[in-house]
Amino acid sequence: MIPFRTLSPGQVIDKVIIHSLDWSLYQVSIEQNGKETWILDRNGQPMTARNILELEAKFERFQVASMVLRHESAYDEMVNQPVRQGTNRMEVPIGRNRLGRS
């Protein structure tokens, strides 16, 4: 885990991953050199938001190679399906809207 404040503006980030946890609840991690790391807020807690665009705006000052929305469904467990051999992870690329710039 790494505090957001320790990232340097202009820093190159391989991938920003916005994790969809629940209805309108998101957390964020970054991937650097193949290693995924959770981002912490100023209170040392995992950075969360109720809006994807809020998290996207936080990374406007960084050089991000890709940004994705990731969702891992618990649907199979909820309907008593057998455990999958593979993952049901879905990643959708999201654009850069430049919302943090005036």
Side-chain angles (χ1 to χ4, degrees):
M1 296 186 190
I2 184 170
F4 183 75
R5 70 179 180 277
T6 64
L7 299 175
S8 303
Q11 179 176 343
V12 176
I13 298 173
D14 296 338
K15 186 181 202 180
V16 172
I17 304 160
I18 298 175
H19 301 263
S20 175
L21 302 178
D22 199 3
W23 186 257
S24 295
L25 180 61
Y26 305 94
Q27 286 183 336
V28 65
S29 66
I30 61 171
E31 185 177 296
Q32 293 289 85
N33 303 317
K35 183 181 175 196
E36 192 172 320
T37 306
W38 289 99
I39 301 298
L40 302 176
D41 64 16
R42 67 180 76 151
N43 299 317
Q45 299 297 314
M47 184 179 282
T48 61
R50 294 278 182 193
N51 183 319
I52 294 171
L53 299 176
E54 180 183 333
L55 292 173
E56 183 182 329
K58 290 185 181 292
F59 288 90
E60 282 297 321
R61 297 181 351 205
F62 300 88
Q63 295 179 34
V64 176
S66 71
M67 186 175 285
V68 298
L69 175 65
R70 179 184 288 172
H71 179 73
E72 297 185 50
S73 176
Y75 179 77
D76 290 341
E77 294 173 21
M78 293 186 310
V79 296
N80 201 26
Q81 292 293 313
V83 176
R84 290 180 184 235
Q85 296 295 6
T87 180
N88 64 359
R89 176 183 291 172
M90 176 177 62
E91 282 191 3
V92 179
I94 55 178
R96 304 294 303 274
N97 293 307
R98 304 274 184 230
L99 297 171
R101 298 187 186 231
S102 46

XYZ file of all heavy atoms in Angstrom:
830
model
N 0.850 -1.181 0.000
C 0.000 0.000 0.000
C 0.888 1.235 0.000
O 1.932 1.236 0.647
C -0.910 -0.003 1.208
C -1.887 -1.140 1.208
S -3.039 -0.958 2.574
C -3.822 -2.526 2.505
N 0.419 2.250 -0.707
C 1.210 3.471 -0.807
C 0.289 4.689 -0.655
O -0.779 4.737 -1.258
C 1.975 3.513 -2.152
C 2.875 4.726 -2.233
C 1.029 3.471 -3.326
C 3.826 4.708 -3.408
N 0.686 5.653 0.170
C -0.123 6.871 0.312
C -0.126 7.674 -0.994
O 0.916 7.832 -1.638
C 0.581 7.653 1.420
C 1.403 6.638 2.156
C 1.797 5.627 1.125
N -1.277 8.175 -1.365
C -1.415 8.977 -2.582
C -0.475 10.179 -2.558
O 0.132 10.523 -3.566
C -2.872 9.431 -2.745
C -3.112 10.200 -4.011
C -3.176 9.540 -5.231
C -3.272 11.572 -3.981
C -3.389 10.238 -6.407
C -3.494 12.280 -5.155
C -3.554 11.619 -6.364
N -0.306 10.789 -1.404
C 0.515 11.999 -1.295
C 1.993 11.749 -1.627
O 2.739 12.678 -1.888
C 0.367 12.641 0.083
C 0.991 11.859 1.210
C 0.835 12.554 2.563
N 1.449 11.781 3.598
C 0.889 10.747 4.223
N -0.324 10.372 3.899
N 1.543 10.075 5.156
N 2.436 10.481 -1.599
C 3.836 10.186 -1.905
C 4.092 10.043 -3.412
O 5.249 9.970 -3.819
C 4.314 8.900 -1.196
O 3.575 7.788 -1.683
C 4.172 9.029 0.311
N 3.022 10.005 -4.207
C 3.198 9.960 -5.661
C 3.570 11.355 -6.152
O 3.060 12.356 -5.646
C 1.914 9.484 -6.343
C 1.427 8.088 -5.958
C 0.075 7.815 -6.624
C 2.442 7.035 -6.348
N 4.455 11.433 -7.123
C 4.927 12.722 -7.633
C 4.132 13.159 -8.856
O 3.932 12.357 -9.773
C 6.401 12.625 -8.038
O 7.180 12.210 -6.962
N 3.675 14.427 -8.882
C 2.995 14.922 -10.080
C 3.891 14.733 -11.303
O 5.100 14.942 -11.238
C 2.767 16.402 -9.779
C 2.776 16.478 -8.295
C 3.764 15.433 -7.842
N 3.300 14.312 -12.388
C 4.061 14.059 -13.602
C 4.640 12.654 -13.658
O 5.188 12.229 -14.671
N 4.535 11.916 -12.540
C 5.058 10.557 -12.474
C 4.364 9.675 -13.503
O 3.173 9.790 -13.748
C 4.826 9.997 -11.074
C 5.298 8.581 -10.879
C 5.123 8.112 -9.437
O 4.935 8.908 -8.520
N 5.179 6.823 -9.236
N 5.115 8.767 -14.112
C 4.547 7.807 -15.061
C 3.981 6.631 -14.273
O 4.659 6.051 -13.422
C 5.619 7.317 -16.060
C 5.043 6.257 -16.974
C 6.175 8.483 -16.855
N 2.731 6.299 -14.547
C 2.057 5.164 -13.915
C 1.612 4.232 -15.025
O 0.918 4.648 -15.953
C 0.856 5.626 -13.070
C 1.323 6.542 -11.938
C 0.082 4.433 -12.520
C 0.206 7.180 -11.141
N 2.001 2.960 -14.926
C 1.654 1.996 -15.964
C 0.145 1.825 -16.099
O -0.396 1.856 -17.198
C 2.283 0.624 -15.688
C 3.803 0.657 -15.713
O 4.380 1.580 -16.324
O 4.422 -0.249 -15.116
N -0.533 1.633 -14.964
C -1.969 1.361 -15.014
C -2.633 1.814 -13.722
O -2.141 1.524 -12.638
C -2.175 -0.144 -15.203
C -3.581 -0.612 -15.420
C -3.537 -2.145 -15.546
C -4.706 -2.723 -16.247
N -4.589 -4.204 -16.337
N -3.751 2.515 -13.859
C -4.599 2.860 -12.719
C -5.804 1.935 -12.797
O -6.449 1.826 -13.840
C -5.052 4.335 -12.755
C -6.080 4.607 -11.666
C -3.864 5.264 -12.607
N -6.088 1.247 -11.691
C -7.196 0.295 -11.644
C -8.229 0.805 -10.649
O -7.939 0.960 -9.459
C -6.711 -1.101 -11.214
C -5.599 -1.575 -12.144
C -7.874 -2.094 -11.189
C -4.740 -2.669 -11.567
N -9.419 1.087 -11.150
C -10.522 1.491 -10.286
C -11.375 0.245 -10.068
O -11.923 -0.317 -11.013
C -11.334 2.636 -10.920
C -10.423 3.861 -11.102
C -12.548 2.963 -10.058
C -11.063 5.015 -11.822
N -11.429 -0.198 -8.820
C -12.130 -1.424 -8.465
C -13.578 -1.117 -8.102
O -13.829 -0.312 -7.209
C -11.455 -2.094 -7.255
C -10.028 -2.437 -7.492
N -9.623 -3.691 -7.864
C -8.894 -1.674 -7.431
C -8.306 -3.707 -8.010
N -7.845 -2.492 -7.754
N -14.506 -1.746 -8.800
C -15.926 -1.611 -8.487
C -16.263 -2.628 -7.404
O -16.251 -3.834 -7.646
C -16.753 -1.881 -9.751
O -18.122 -1.866 -9.448
N -16.536 -2.142 -6.187
C -16.763 -3.020 -5.047
C -18.238 -3.294 -4.785
O -18.616 -4.396 -4.416
C -16.145 -2.428 -3.787
C -14.649 -2.152 -3.842
C -14.196 -1.518 -2.546
C -13.871 -3.403 -4.156
N -19.031 -2.272 -4.946
C -20.448 -2.355 -4.615
C -21.136 -1.249 -5.393
O -20.486 -0.471 -6.078
C -20.629 -2.159 -3.103
C -21.952 -2.674 -2.578
O -22.737 -3.246 -3.362
O -22.204 -2.517 -1.373
N -22.437 -1.172 -5.254
C -23.175 -0.120 -5.939
C -22.590 1.246 -5.589
O -22.627 1.670 -4.442
C -24.641 -0.180 -5.519
C -25.511 0.758 -6.264
C -25.999 1.931 -5.794
C -25.984 0.627 -7.592
N -26.750 2.539 -6.748
C -26.758 1.752 -7.877
C -25.833 -0.340 -8.573
C -27.379 1.941 -9.106
C -26.447 -0.146 -9.794
C -27.209 0.974 -10.043
N -21.968 1.890 -6.547
C -21.358 3.217 -6.378
C -20.325 3.273 -5.257
O -20.278 4.238 -4.494
C -22.427 4.287 -6.153
O -23.223 4.406 -7.295
N -19.494 2.258 -5.151
C -18.370 2.286 -4.218
C -17.140 1.756 -4.945
O -17.158 0.642 -5.476
C -18.645 1.435 -2.973
C -17.511 1.402 -1.945
C -17.212 2.809 -1.409
C -17.850 0.459 -0.813
N -16.100 2.575 -4.969
C -14.903 2.257 -5.734
C -13.654 2.456 -4.881
O -13.615 3.340 -4.035
C -14.809 3.165 -6.967
C -16.044 3.108 -7.818
C -17.067 4.031 -7.658
C -16.213 2.099 -8.757
C -18.216 3.972 -8.416
C -17.357 2.032 -9.528
C -18.359 2.964 -9.353
O -19.499 2.895 -10.108
N -12.634 1.627 -5.123
C -11.310 1.804 -4.547
C -10.323 1.827 -5.702
O -10.637 1.391 -6.805
C -10.964 0.674 -3.581
C -11.692 0.777 -2.270
C -11.272 -0.307 -1.300
O -10.802 -1.364 -1.676
N -11.472 -0.035 -0.021
N -9.108 2.300 -5.416
C -8.141 2.452 -6.494
C -6.794 1.826 -6.135
O -6.361 1.870 -4.994
C -7.977 3.951 -6.880
C -7.376 4.756 -5.762
C -7.193 4.115 -8.154
N -6.183 1.229 -7.148
C -4.827 0.710 -7.025
C -4.078 1.102 -8.289
O -4.679 1.538 -9.268
C -4.820 -0.814 -6.842
O -5.298 -1.464 -8.003
N -2.749 0.976 -8.236
C -1.947 1.224 -9.429
C -1.086 -0.002 -9.690
O -0.795 -0.772 -8.777
C -1.062 2.486 -9.319
C -0.067 2.367 -8.163
C -1.911 3.738 -9.198
C 0.975 3.482 -8.149
N -0.706 -0.147 -10.937
C 0.207 -1.222 -11.315
C 1.474 -0.583 -11.874
O 1.409 0.260 -12.762
C -0.437 -2.116 -12.370
C 0.390 -3.320 -12.725
C -0.311 -4.214 -13.721
O -1.375 -4.766 -13.379
O 0.209 -4.341 -14.851
N 2.603 -0.959 -11.296
C 3.917 -0.497 -11.737
C 4.817 -1.717 -11.872
O 4.927 -2.500 -10.931
C 4.540 0.466 -10.719
C 3.836 1.795 -10.575
C 4.034 2.684 -11.769
O 3.322 2.583 -12.753
N 5.007 3.558 -11.697
N 5.442 -1.851 -13.025
C 6.372 -2.970 -13.260
C 5.750 -4.324 -12.918
O 6.388 -5.187 -12.324
C 7.664 -2.772 -12.470
C 8.338 -1.468 -12.803
O 8.422 -1.091 -13.968
N 8.793 -0.758 -11.792
N 4.462 -4.497 -13.264
C 3.778 -5.761 -13.043
C 3.303 -6.008 -11.624
O 2.726 -7.039 -11.331
N 3.513 -5.041 -10.711
C 3.109 -5.198 -9.310
C 1.947 -4.249 -8.993
O 2.040 -3.044 -9.246
C 4.286 -4.902 -8.383
C 3.962 -5.109 -6.928
C 5.146 -4.783 -6.037
C 4.721 -4.898 -4.584
N 5.645 -4.253 -3.694
N 0.884 -4.805 -8.445
C -0.288 -4.004 -8.099
C -0.213 -3.553 -6.648
O 0.098 -4.351 -5.764
C -1.560 -4.824 -8.331
C -2.812 -4.005 -8.276
C -4.030 -4.799 -8.699
O -3.943 -5.592 -9.656
O -5.077 -4.622 -8.050
N -0.509 -2.270 -6.401
C -0.413 -1.675 -5.076
C -1.646 -0.827 -4.799
O -2.021 0.015 -5.627
C 0.837 -0.773 -4.980
O 1.982 -1.520 -5.361
C 1.023 -0.240 -3.587
N -2.255 -1.015 -3.641
C -3.406 -0.197 -3.250
C -2.948 1.212 -2.888
O -1.873 1.398 -2.313
C -4.127 -0.826 -2.056
C -4.854 -2.074 -2.436
C -4.415 -3.356 -2.258
C -6.112 -2.163 -3.080
N -5.339 -4.232 -2.757
C -6.392 -3.530 -3.270
C -7.033 -1.227 -3.526
C -7.558 -3.979 -3.874
C -8.204 -1.671 -4.133
C -8.461 -3.028 -4.300
N -3.783 2.187 -3.170
C -3.501 3.589 -2.851
C -4.251 3.962 -1.576
O -5.437 3.647 -1.424
C -3.942 4.513 -4.006
C -3.220 4.140 -5.303
C -3.711 5.980 -3.651
C -1.715 4.299 -5.241
N -3.548 4.634 -0.663
C -4.135 5.058 0.611
C -4.469 6.540 0.576
O -3.767 7.339 -0.059
C -3.150 4.788 1.750
C -2.693 3.337 1.916
C -1.652 3.252 3.021
C -3.865 2.421 2.185
N -5.516 6.931 1.309
C -5.878 8.340 1.421
C -5.051 9.003 2.526
O -4.157 8.378 3.101
C -7.385 8.501 1.657
C -7.875 7.904 2.977
O -7.048 7.623 3.872
O -9.098 7.723 3.110
N -5.342 10.242 2.850
C -4.546 10.979 3.844
C -4.692 10.427 5.257
O -3.901 10.736 6.139
C -4.879 12.463 3.818
C -6.277 12.786 4.284
C -6.556 14.245 4.233
N -6.768 14.601 2.837
C -7.524 15.570 2.400
N -8.135 16.342 3.257
N -7.684 15.813 1.136
N -5.713 9.589 5.486
C -5.909 8.974 6.798
C -5.309 7.572 6.885
O -5.506 6.871 7.876
C -7.399 8.912 7.141
C -8.022 10.286 7.212
O -7.436 11.204 7.769
N -9.198 10.435 6.631
N -4.612 7.161 5.826
C -4.005 5.838 5.818
C -4.976 4.713 5.503
O -4.656 3.546 5.685
N -6.159 5.060 5.023
C -7.175 4.085 4.640
C -7.165 3.909 3.122
O -6.771 4.822 2.391
C -8.572 4.560 5.081
C -8.715 4.744 6.573
C -8.527 3.436 7.313
O -9.073 2.414 6.946
N -7.716 3.476 8.373
N -7.608 2.750 2.622
C -7.689 2.597 1.171
C -8.534 3.726 0.569
O -9.598 4.059 1.101
C -8.375 1.238 0.984
C -8.012 0.480 2.220
C -7.986 1.519 3.314
N -8.020 4.343 -0.490
C -8.711 5.463 -1.123
C -10.012 4.955 -1.737
O -10.010 4.014 -2.525
C -7.832 6.093 -2.202
C -8.459 7.314 -2.838
S -7.383 8.045 -4.092
C -6.231 8.916 -3.030
N -11.120 5.557 -1.340
C -12.431 5.179 -1.859
C -13.160 6.404 -2.387
O -12.831 7.537 -2.037
C -13.311 4.514 -0.777
O -13.506 5.454 0.284
C -12.685 3.259 -0.236
N -14.159 6.130 -3.222
C -15.003 7.197 -3.751
C -16.347 6.594 -4.125
O -16.468 5.382 -4.324
C -14.356 7.849 -4.960
N -17.327 7.441 -4.239
C -18.660 7.035 -4.672
C -18.861 7.343 -6.152
O -19.942 7.139 -6.689
C -19.738 7.758 -3.850
C -19.755 7.363 -2.410
C -20.504 6.103 -2.258
N -20.572 5.716 -0.840
C -20.963 4.530 -0.475
N -21.319 3.645 -1.377
N -21.000 4.207 0.787
N -17.809 7.848 -6.788
C -17.914 8.291 -8.170
C -16.605 7.978 -8.895
O -15.535 8.387 -8.441
C -18.192 9.801 -8.150
C -18.390 10.398 -9.492
O -17.688 10.074 -10.455
N -19.338 11.308 -9.582
N -16.673 7.275 -10.018
C -15.474 6.940 -10.793
C -14.731 8.202 -11.227
O -13.504 8.261 -11.187
C -15.847 6.115 -12.041
C -16.404 4.763 -11.646
C -14.652 5.937 -12.961
C -16.999 3.991 -12.801
N -15.477 9.215 -11.622
C -14.858 10.440 -12.126
C -14.035 11.151 -11.060
O -13.035 11.799 -11.358
C -15.924 11.377 -12.700
C -16.711 10.801 -13.882
C -17.809 11.766 -14.303
C -15.802 10.459 -15.034
N -14.432 11.020 -9.797
C -13.672 11.614 -8.693
C -12.276 10.995 -8.624
O -11.278 11.696 -8.451
C -14.425 11.387 -7.389
C -13.751 11.941 -6.165
C -14.521 11.612 -4.892
O -15.750 11.427 -4.941
O -13.864 11.534 -3.835
N -12.202 9.675 -8.770
C -10.903 9.003 -8.746
C -10.103 9.323 -10.002
O -8.896 9.540 -9.941
C -11.081 7.497 -8.595
C -11.633 7.047 -7.251
C -11.931 5.558 -7.271
C -10.670 7.395 -6.129
N -10.765 9.363 -11.127
C -10.084 9.695 -12.379
C -9.433 11.075 -12.293
O -8.288 11.261 -12.705
C -11.091 9.660 -13.533
C -10.462 9.911 -14.868
C -11.471 9.924 -15.991
O -12.494 9.222 -15.909
O -11.216 10.648 -16.967
N -10.139 12.035 -11.740
C -9.620 13.401 -11.630
C -8.367 13.474 -10.767
O -7.482 14.291 -11.010
C -10.700 14.332 -11.084
N -8.251 12.611 -9.763
C -7.070 12.620 -8.884
C -5.784 12.275 -9.639
O -4.697 12.623 -9.206
C -7.264 11.650 -7.720
C -8.304 12.120 -6.724
C -8.364 11.185 -5.552
C -9.406 11.612 -4.552
N -9.092 12.841 -3.848
N -5.906 11.608 -10.771
C -4.731 11.175 -11.521
C -4.463 12.033 -12.761
O -3.647 11.674 -13.599
C -4.869 9.697 -11.902
C -4.710 8.791 -10.722
C -5.809 8.429 -9.959
C -3.457 8.344 -10.335
C -5.663 7.614 -8.847
C -3.293 7.541 -9.221
C -4.404 7.173 -8.477
N -5.106 13.184 -12.863
C -4.920 14.063 -14.017
C -3.486 14.569 -14.166
O -3.026 14.770 -15.273
C -5.863 15.268 -13.945
C -7.281 14.936 -14.346
C -7.401 14.499 -15.783
O -6.729 15.066 -16.662
O -8.173 13.563 -16.027
N -2.781 14.775 -13.076
C -1.428 15.349 -13.144
C -0.355 14.283 -13.350
O 0.824 14.579 -13.321
C -1.140 16.142 -11.876
C -2.074 17.324 -11.722
C -1.819 18.161 -10.516
N -0.861 17.601 -9.574
C -0.817 17.876 -8.291
N -1.701 18.687 -7.786
N 0.078 17.354 -7.504
N -0.771 13.046 -13.561
C 0.166 11.949 -13.764
C 0.120 11.482 -15.212
O -0.874 11.676 -15.900
C -0.180 10.776 -12.832
C -0.135 11.132 -11.378
C -1.249 11.641 -10.737
C 1.034 10.985 -10.660
C -1.214 11.984 -9.397
C 1.088 11.325 -9.310
C -0.040 11.832 -8.685
N 1.198 10.867 -15.652
C 1.235 10.279 -16.987
C 0.807 8.820 -16.839
O 1.611 7.969 -16.460
C 2.628 10.381 -17.578
C 3.069 11.809 -17.819
C 4.474 11.844 -18.383
O 4.881 10.970 -19.131
N 5.205 12.868 -18.015
N -0.458 8.552 -17.117
C -1.029 7.227 -16.940
C -1.116 6.538 -18.291
O -1.753 7.037 -19.208
C -2.426 7.312 -16.284
C -3.067 5.946 -16.173
C -2.334 7.981 -14.924
N -0.469 5.383 -18.407
C -0.487 4.641 -19.675
C -1.867 4.064 -19.945
O -2.338 4.097 -21.081
C 0.569 3.537 -19.657
N -2.528 3.516 -18.908
C -3.902 3.026 -19.084
C -4.660 3.132 -17.776
O -4.080 3.110 -16.695
C -3.914 1.576 -19.591
O -3.491 0.683 -18.594
N -5.972 3.282 -17.913
C -6.856 3.359 -16.757
C -8.025 2.421 -17.044
O -8.599 2.463 -18.133
C -7.348 4.785 -16.546
C -8.160 4.977 -15.287
S -8.622 6.702 -14.976
C -7.070 7.380 -14.415
N -8.341 1.564 -16.064
C -9.412 0.584 -16.263
C -10.352 0.548 -15.074
O -9.981 0.903 -13.953
C -8.858 -0.847 -16.502
C -8.010 -0.911 -17.757
C -8.093 -1.364 -15.304
N -11.561 0.100 -15.349
C -12.541 -0.198 -14.316
C -12.564 -1.715 -14.197
O -12.743 -2.420 -15.196
C -13.922 0.321 -14.703
C -15.062 -0.043 -13.761
C -14.865 0.596 -12.397
C -16.388 0.375 -14.366
N -12.346 -2.233 -12.996
C -12.291 -3.680 -12.777
C -13.464 -4.114 -11.892
O -13.751 -3.479 -10.878
C -10.988 -4.067 -12.098
C -10.889 -5.569 -11.812
C -9.646 -5.919 -11.055
N -8.465 -5.820 -11.905
C -7.220 -5.932 -11.453
N -6.997 -6.124 -10.157
N -6.204 -5.830 -12.270
N -14.081 -5.208 -12.312
C -15.184 -5.776 -11.522
C -14.998 -7.287 -11.449
O -14.696 -7.928 -12.445
C -16.534 -5.458 -12.166
C -17.693 -6.024 -11.412
N -18.119 -5.507 -10.216
C -18.495 -7.075 -11.667
C -19.153 -6.215 -9.779
N -19.398 -7.176 -10.643
N -15.153 -7.822 -10.251
C -15.111 -9.269 -10.042
C -16.431 -9.646 -9.380
O -16.697 -9.231 -8.268
C -13.909 -9.662 -9.191
C -12.603 -9.321 -9.888
C -11.371 -9.803 -9.156
O -11.337 -10.987 -8.792
O -10.462 -8.993 -8.969
N -17.225 -10.410 -10.090
C -18.575 -10.722 -9.635
C -18.612 -11.888 -8.655
O -17.893 -12.874 -8.810
C -19.452 -11.055 -10.844
O -20.734 -11.454 -10.430
N -19.510 -11.779 -7.694
C -19.756 -12.869 -6.750
C -21.047 -13.602 -7.132
O -21.585 -14.385 -6.362
C -19.875 -12.319 -5.336
N -21.525 -13.369 -8.363
C -22.801 -13.924 -8.790
C -22.832 -15.447 -8.676
O -23.814 -16.020 -8.196
C -23.124 -13.495 -10.221
C -24.426 -14.064 -10.728
C -25.638 -13.518 -10.326
C -24.450 -15.169 -11.568
C -26.839 -14.041 -10.759
C -25.641 -15.706 -12.011
C -26.830 -15.136 -11.603
O -28.015 -15.663 -12.034
N -21.786 -16.133 -9.136
C -21.771 -17.594 -9.093
C -21.995 -18.110 -7.673
O -22.762 -19.046 -7.461
C -20.451 -18.144 -9.638
C -20.326 -17.954 -11.132
O -21.367 -17.744 -11.799
O -19.197 -18.010 -11.637
N -21.337 -17.504 -6.709
C -21.504 -17.916 -5.317
C -22.933 -17.669 -4.839
O -23.504 -18.484 -4.115
C -20.552 -17.143 -4.413
C -19.096 -17.442 -4.642
C -18.196 -16.528 -3.825
O -18.671 -15.963 -2.825
O -17.023 -16.393 -4.194
N -23.505 -16.550 -5.272
C -24.848 -16.193 -4.801
C -25.907 -17.158 -5.304
O -26.933 -17.344 -4.651
C -25.191 -14.761 -5.232
C -24.333 -13.725 -4.554
S -24.809 -12.019 -4.882
C -24.947 -11.943 -6.637
N -25.697 -17.774 -6.470
C -26.697 -18.695 -7.018
C -26.257 -20.147 -6.878
O -26.752 -21.028 -7.556
C -27.048 -18.351 -8.484
C -27.701 -16.990 -8.569
C -25.830 -18.448 -9.378
N -25.282 -20.380 -5.983
C -24.817 -21.721 -5.636
C -24.236 -22.487 -6.828
O -24.462 -23.683 -6.969
C -25.935 -22.506 -4.948
C -25.393 -23.652 -4.122
O -24.254 -23.597 -3.661
N -26.193 -24.678 -3.938
N -23.494 -21.797 -7.658
C -22.798 -22.436 -8.774
C -21.454 -22.973 -8.283
O -20.907 -22.481 -7.301
C -22.570 -21.429 -9.910
C -23.835 -20.979 -10.591
C -24.491 -22.112 -11.342
O -23.844 -22.838 -12.078
N -25.790 -22.277 -11.125
N -20.906 -23.974 -8.971
C -19.590 -24.489 -8.555
C -18.508 -23.422 -8.724
O -18.650 -22.487 -9.515
C -19.349 -25.660 -9.502
C -20.279 -25.463 -10.644
C -21.437 -24.653 -10.139
N -17.442 -23.574 -7.958
C -16.314 -22.649 -8.022
C -15.684 -22.742 -9.408
O -15.446 -23.831 -9.930
C -15.274 -22.986 -6.930
C -14.057 -22.084 -7.051
C -15.904 -22.881 -5.561
N -15.412 -21.595 -10.020
C -14.799 -21.557 -11.354
C -13.326 -21.922 -11.277
O -12.656 -21.625 -10.295
C -14.890 -20.149 -11.937
C -16.255 -19.733 -12.317
C -16.183 -18.316 -12.884
N -17.503 -17.850 -13.183
C -17.864 -17.411 -14.375
N -16.991 -17.361 -15.352
N -19.086 -17.000 -14.593
N -12.840 -22.505 -12.349
C -11.410 -22.786 -12.454
C -10.645 -21.492 -12.719
O -9.546 -21.309 -12.237
C -11.142 -23.797 -13.572
C -11.764 -25.147 -13.324
C -11.162 -25.854 -12.117
O -10.351 -25.332 -11.382
N -11.603 -27.079 -11.908
N -11.228 -20.606 -13.510
C -10.588 -19.333 -13.834
C -11.276 -18.194 -13.114
O -12.188 -18.384 -12.310
N -10.851 -17.014 -13.417
C -11.425 -15.813 -12.803
C -12.606 -15.303 -13.630
O -12.687 -15.568 -14.828
C -10.349 -14.717 -12.669
O -10.954 -13.579 -12.061
C -9.786 -14.307 -14.008
N -13.485 -14.575 -12.994
C -14.562 -13.910 -13.723
C -14.310 -12.397 -13.764
O -15.227 -11.616 -13.926
C -15.926 -14.237 -13.106
C -16.067 -13.708 -11.693
O -15.153 -13.105 -11.145
N -17.216 -13.945 -11.081
N -13.060 -12.034 -13.632
C -12.652 -10.630 -13.625
C -12.952 -9.988 -14.981
O -12.693 -10.561 -16.030
C -11.172 -10.517 -13.337
C -10.645 -9.090 -13.410
C -9.166 -9.047 -13.184
N -8.906 -9.379 -11.786
C -7.706 -9.580 -11.292
N -6.634 -9.524 -12.067
N -7.547 -9.865 -10.019
N -13.484 -8.784 -14.909
C -13.738 -8.011 -16.111
C -13.039 -6.658 -15.953
O -13.188 -6.011 -14.925
C -15.246 -7.806 -16.292
C -15.592 -6.936 -17.475
S -17.368 -6.776 -17.744
C -17.916 -5.996 -16.243
N -12.264 -6.271 -16.961
C -11.623 -4.955 -16.966
C -12.061 -4.213 -18.215
O -11.976 -4.749 -19.316
C -10.103 -5.075 -16.962
C -9.531 -5.400 -15.625
C -8.020 -5.268 -15.577
O -7.386 -4.865 -16.578
O -7.467 -5.574 -14.526
N -12.538 -2.992 -18.001
C -13.004 -2.154 -19.091
C -12.139 -0.901 -19.130
O -12.031 -0.195 -18.123
C -14.485 -1.760 -18.875
C -14.974 -0.862 -19.988
C -15.352 -2.999 -18.746
N -11.499 -0.621 -20.280
C -10.711 0.611 -20.365
C -11.620 1.827 -20.224
O -12.742 1.833 -20.750
C -10.095 0.563 -21.764
C -10.433 -0.759 -22.339
C -11.495 -1.380 -21.503
N -11.153 2.820 -19.501
C -11.916 4.066 -19.397
C -11.049 5.207 -19.890
O -9.831 5.164 -19.788
C -12.453 4.324 -17.972
C -11.341 4.293 -16.940
C -13.507 3.307 -17.606
C -11.822 4.593 -15.532
N -11.699 6.205 -20.436
C -10.984 7.336 -21.031
C -10.538 8.339 -19.997
O -10.898 8.280 -18.829
N -9.746 9.248 -20.469
C -9.280 10.345 -19.617
C -10.100 11.567 -19.992
O -9.976 12.104 -21.081
C -7.784 10.611 -19.871
C -6.875 9.405 -19.677
C -6.810 8.916 -18.235
N -6.389 9.890 -17.285
C -5.119 10.173 -16.974
N -4.136 9.542 -17.556
N -4.837 11.080 -16.089
N -10.933 12.027 -19.083
C -11.859 13.132 -19.350
C -11.302 14.495 -19.025
O -11.942 15.496 -19.258
C -13.165 12.917 -18.578
C -13.913 11.719 -19.108
O -14.164 11.639 -20.299
N -14.254 10.793 -18.237
N -10.096 14.548 -18.437
C -9.468 15.829 -18.077
C -10.381 16.666 -17.181
O -10.480 17.870 -17.311
C -9.111 16.619 -19.324
C -8.215 15.866 -20.274
C -6.782 16.064 -19.881
N -5.906 15.431 -20.845
C -4.934 14.629 -20.515
N -4.688 14.375 -19.275
N -4.166 14.086 -21.424
N -11.027 16.001 -16.216
C -11.953 16.699 -15.330
C -11.240 17.483 -14.247
O -11.817 18.393 -13.663
C -12.901 15.691 -14.690
C -13.786 14.967 -15.679
C -14.541 13.845 -14.989
C -14.725 15.908 -16.367
N -10.009 17.146 -13.964
C -9.279 17.832 -12.897
C -8.564 19.080 -13.381
O -7.916 19.760 -12.605
N -8.673 19.380 -14.648
C -7.999 20.568 -15.199
C -8.997 21.665 -15.488
O -10.086 21.417 -15.952
C -7.261 20.223 -16.476
C -6.186 19.198 -16.221
C -5.353 19.000 -17.436
N -4.445 17.893 -17.163
C -3.164 17.978 -17.356
N -2.625 19.056 -17.822
N -2.402 16.950 -17.091
N -8.607 22.887 -15.233
C -9.516 24.012 -15.488
C -9.251 24.635 -16.820
O -8.318 24.369 -17.507
C -9.399 25.039 -14.394
O -8.058 25.318 -14.084
